[in-house]
Amino acid sequence: MPWVAEAIKKTRLREGGIKRWSDIEVKNMLDYVRSHTNFEKPTARLYYLKLLEETKIETKWNLARSKMRHLKALFVKANDFLNSTGAGVEDEDGDLTIQEKIKKICPYYDTLSEIFSPSREATFDASIVVDDTTLESEPKVKKRRANSSMEKLYDLEEDRVALRREQLKHEQEKR
């Protein structure tokens, strides 16, 4: 009767349990990660054990790691939305601004952009770019504009507002 054993469906048991994260716990975790630049070093286990010890969050280290991975996935999703061509707010979103749409996708976007920004990983100052294509002339110095996620967000919002003003102006001219 080997077929009887196959008929019994195996269920997966959760060993770690389920954790419902409060807003305060998430903010405490993000504050810790923001203040400790050595993210998941020397090992993820040691990092999250220390995080849990200092923040007094009652959970296991692997659940904290899973939560952080989930938050990073939401941040990446929000960044993909911002960087996509034609990023804007669809008609179904009503009167949502781009900032509100980003907050809807990733509620902790501002904090996560500080944590996962490229400027945090690269600590050198890249505010000046030297273009020395010809050695005979003096090198041209250009100031590089910081290109953070928040600046992209504000630029997109300004573009959206300007476009909406043009649409309203055009509608008024039609009348």
Side-chain angles (χ1 to χ4, degrees):
M1 293 204 175
W3 58 273
V4 174
E6 294 174 5
I8 298 173
K9 186 177 179 180
K10 291 185 178 181
T11 58
R12 181 175 164 242
L13 297 176
R14 290 189 185 263
E15 293 178 14
I18 298 173
K19 168 81 172 137
R20 184 158 288 307
W21 291 83
S22 70
D23 192 45
I24 293 170
E25 289 175 328
V26 174
K27 287 179 181 178
N28 287 342
M29 183 166 64
L30 291 175
D31 288 341
Y32 178 87
V33 173
R34 186 180 358 173
S35 64
H36 293 78
T37 57
N38 56 344
F39 184 64
E40 292 190 351
K41 290 182 181 159
T43 66
R45 182 182 185 133
L46 292 175
Y47 182 82
Y48 288 108
L49 285 173
K50 188 172 180 182
L51 179 148
L52 294 174
E53 180 183 322
E54 287 190 24
T55 59
K56 307 284 191 261
I57 298 173
E58 294 293 324
T59 190
K60 295 183 179 182
W61 75 270
N62 55 351
L63 291 178
R65 181 182 62 182
S66 295
K67 181 63 175 179
M68 198 63 210
R69 286 181 179 176
H70 174 71
L71 290 171
K72 186 172 183 177
L74 291 177
F75 173 72
V76 168
K77 185 177 178 182
N79 259 352
D80 289 346
F81 172 77
L82 273 178
N83 295 329
S84 66
T85 58
V89 181
E90 292 83 24
D91 291 340
E92 66 213 29
D93 293 328
D95 293 331
L96 287 180
T97 64
I98 293 177
Q99 286 103 340
E100 290 168 341
K101 178 72 175 175
I102 292 299
K103 287 291 186 184
K104 189 176 178 182
I105 296 170
C106 179
Y108 304 101
Y109 183 82
D110 297 336
T111 307
L112 290 167
S113 65
E114 291 176 27
I115 293 170
F116 295 117
S117 70
S119 62
R120 181 174 174 177
E121 295 165 4
T123 56
F124 61 93
D125 183 15
S127 60
I128 297 179
V129 175
V130 178
D131 181 18
D132 54 352
T133 54
T134 59
L135 296 175
E136 298 161 6
S137 64
E138 291 184 34
K140 298 176 185 175
V141 177
K142 298 183 230 175
K143 286 192 176 180
R144 178 183 287 174
R145 184 171 171 251
N147 206 7
S148 72
S149 298
M150 289 308 296
E151 287 178 355
K152 286 181 188 177
L153 183 65
Y154 292 125
D155 290 344
L156 284 171
E157 183 62 21
E158 286 176 2
D159 292 345
R160 186 190 73 81
V161 169
L163 180 64
R164 184 65 181 141
R165 284 186 183 141
E166 287 179 29
Q167 288 174 339
L168 291 172
K169 183 180 175 184
H170 183 67
E171 287 175 8
Q172 288 176 351
E173 289 174 357
K174 280 185 175 179
R175 293 180 190 172

